[in-house]
Amino acid sequence: MNNQLSNRINKLPVSQTLAMAAKARALKAEGKDIISLSLGEPDYNTPDFIKEAAIKAIEENYNWYTPVNGYLSLREAISRKFQRDNQLVYSPEQIVVSTGAKQALANAVLVLINPGDEVLLPAPFWVSYEAMVNLADGVSVPIPTTIENDFKITPKQLEQAITPKTKLLFFNSPNNPSGSVYSEEEYKALAKVLEKHPNIYVISDEIYEHILFKGTNYSFARIENMYDRTITVNGVSKSFAMTGWRVGYIGAPKWIAKACTKMQGQITSGTNCIAQMATIAALDAPVSKIKYMVDEFKIRRNLILDLLKDIKGFKLNLPEGAFYVFPDISYYFGKTINGVTIHNASDFSMLILEKANVATVTGEAFGVPNCIRISYATSQDLIIEAMKRIKELLDS
């Protein structure tokens, strides 16, 4: 009955990260010892002070429908967080709370993009950006990068990608999947290009802002002439180990925030009441409360890079944020390993899943077909074992 489905769903790709995670779970269920390095999910429990706020909310009978754009008390907490961490002034009326940053991103795309509008995607880009543009009947325009340039676009590349149809730029730093982080100077250089094109908007995805190993994170909206053209997207999933709580949010010009509220009101309405109250506790706490996680992620990053350097054919950069490495593995294209010929990153990723029992994600899902994404949001022991398995397979 697939022919009865809408064109919209038929042309929508399956999320490759979720598909690989599902395949890894299925193999585990068959009894295979799978090490999953595919999902971007911290392996920590949610901090106790956040859980205590949720328990208190339950005891105080927070169980009713919430305002579509979020509790005022949470939007005020987000406003304080933007001021403290990002030097951004967003009033509660400019903030919309959503069921995860993924919904916040989708809302922004759907309220801005008309059929045929072009959306610039610096590659590598998170897998769902392109799908969201697809849903809005927009046209995705990838901007390629290389590992030699730390997977960052240049102002010249940005200028060359812009056409009269360009409406939106997706920007993600620290980046998923590369871990690359743009400096303040790089932000400002890109903004100088955008100054010449006042009808282009920016979605600045800052979900990994606190998982940073060097310096401080910058925001597009801090640049004066970009503030009114930027939708700043964030959430609590990554930095606070709250992936399942599903709370994301935007800070944006009021007219965009109002439109996102209207969109959300017809799809999910307001975000979970208990999760919202827990998020207030998370955002009002000093960032130092999650430093132990960031410190451990840096140790793991250094560990996995050292181990990957011992595996022939992996080309690496130094990711300064998030919890991923994104090695170029094109050395193996055309080679046959364990009877399997590697034509592309998808073949390579499937090979190490089926032959080494290690789950990763193909770089094709992120717009860079020469790479694979490896998450190190897992224990040091599992990282060591996973790299050992991959090395033994490839050495064979």
Side-chain angles (χ1 to χ4, degrees):
M1 296 294 289
N2 276 355
N3 63 336
Q4 300 300 312
L5 293 173
S6 69
N7 292 335
R8 181 180 300 105
I9 193 63
N10 282 331
K11 71 179 183 179
L12 188 71
V14 173
S15 167
Q16 289 297 308
T17 53
L18 298 182
M20 182 57 87
K23 185 166 182 62
R25 281 193 295 268
L27 290 171
K28 263 188 175 179
E30 293 174 7
K32 292 193 175 181
D33 179 22
I34 303 295
I35 299 176
S36 182
L37 304 181
S38 60
L39 275 183
E41 184 168 44
D43 59 325
Y44 291 97
N45 292 321
T46 302
D48 287 343
F49 74 94
I50 298 173
K51 292 189 284 188
E52 288 162 7
I55 293 167
K56 183 181 177 185
I58 293 170
E59 291 172 343
E60 292 180 353
N61 293 310
Y62 278 84
N63 59 296
W64 309 104
Y65 284 134
T66 62
V68 173
N69 59 347
Y71 285 132
L72 175 60
S73 55
L74 174 53
R75 287 182 286 121
E76 288 173 339
I78 293 168
S79 183
R80 293 191 294 271
K81 172 260 177 292
F82 273 131
Q83 178 75 63
R84 180 194 68 194
D85 297 343
N86 311 103
Q87 293 77 59
L88 293 175
V89 178
Y90 286 119
S91 69
E93 292 73 31
Q94 294 177 270
I95 292 165
V96 181
V97 179
S98 300
T99 304
K102 184 179 278 189
Q103 185 182 25
L105 291 162
N107 284 343
V109 172
L110 291 170
V111 305
L112 285 173
I113 297 304
N114 286 312
D117 285 344
E118 292 180 354
V119 180
L120 304 181
L121 303 178
F125 46 80
W126 182 50
V127 293
S128 292
Y129 294 165
E130 191 170 30
M132 291 170 185
V133 174
N134 192 350
L135 275 176
D137 289 324
V139 178
S140 294
V141 180
I143 305 176
T145 63
T146 64
I147 196 167
E148 289 79 12
N149 201 35
D150 202 27
F151 296 113
K152 296 179 186 180
I153 62 167
T154 65
K156 182 179 179 181
Q157 283 182 294
L158 177 59
E159 184 71 75
Q160 290 174 340
I162 292 171
T163 76
K165 293 183 178 180
T166 306
K167 181 71 174 289
L168 185 64
L169 166 68
F170 262 105
F171 200 79
N172 175 214
S173 175
N175 179 262
N176 173 9
S178 70
S180 297
V181 179
Y182 284 77
S183 68
E184 178 178 345
E185 292 71 25
E186 288 167 329
Y187 270 91
K188 289 180 176 177
L190 295 172
K192 278 194 175 298
V193 174
L194 294 170
E195 280 177 20
K196 297 179 283 185
H197 305 276
N199 295 322
I200 298 175
Y201 292 84
V202 175
I203 292 179
S204 183
D205 181 353
E206 302 178 11
I207 191 71
Y208 293 94
E209 68 166 338
H210 292 313
I211 306 175
L212 195 65
F213 310 132
K214 180 181 175 183
T216 56
N217 196 50
Y218 198 71
S219 296
F220 245 117
R222 281 183 64 180
I223 302 168
E224 186 176 355
N225 61 6
M226 293 304 301
Y227 178 82
D228 288 331
R229 300 162 54 187
T230 299
I231 301 97
T232 305
V233 180
N234 213 320
V236 293
S237 290
K238 311 299 184 179
S239 297
F240 296 93
M242 294 175 68
T243 50
W245 296 71
R246 309 312 301 133
V247 180
Y249 53 86
I250 66 167
K254 284 184 183 179
W255 63 275
I256 293 179
K258 185 177 180 181
C260 288
T261 300
K262 180 180 179 182
M263 174 67 68
Q264 189 165 294
Q266 295 291 9
I267 299 176
T268 59
S269 298
T271 301
N272 177 283
C273 53
I274 307 303
Q276 286 197 53
M277 299 308 292
T279 298
I280 295 173
L283 297 182
D284 276 343
V287 177
S288 59
K289 280 217 167 191
I290 57 169
K291 187 175 183 295
Y292 67 96
M293 287 192 265
V294 180
D295 289 345
E296 174 62 19
F297 283 136
K298 185 174 183 179
I299 291 170
R300 294 174 184 179
R301 179 202 65 174
N302 294 340
L303 172 64
I304 198 168
L305 287 175
D306 284 344
L307 294 170
L308 285 170
K309 285 173 185 173
D310 286 338
I311 302 177
K312 187 177 181 180
F314 278 67
K315 190 187 294 183
L316 302 161
N317 69 321
L318 178 66
E320 291 291 2
F323 35 66
Y324 310 106
V325 288
F326 198 57
D328 183 315
I329 46 80
S330 56
Y331 167 84
Y332 287 98
F333 294 175
K335 292 180 168 57
T336 300
I337 301 168
N338 251 6
V340 178
T341 301
I342 308 301
H343 300 288
N344 50 46
S346 295
D347 289 345
F348 187 87
S349 187
M350 195 57 64
L351 171 79
I352 61 176
L353 174 62
E354 294 179 344
K355 303 296 185 180
N357 291 339
V358 177
T360 60
V361 186
T362 172
E364 291 183 30
F366 305 96
V368 181
N370 287 347
C371 299
I372 61 169
R373 190 188 77 171
I374 305 174
S375 169
Y376 52 86
T378 191
S379 72
Q380 294 183 44
D381 287 344
L382 286 177
I383 290 169
I384 291 169
E385 175 62 22
M387 296 306 105
K388 176 186 172 187
R389 293 180 185 182
I390 292 172
K391 180 174 171 52
E392 287 177 350
L393 170 66
L394 298 179
D395 284 351
S396 71

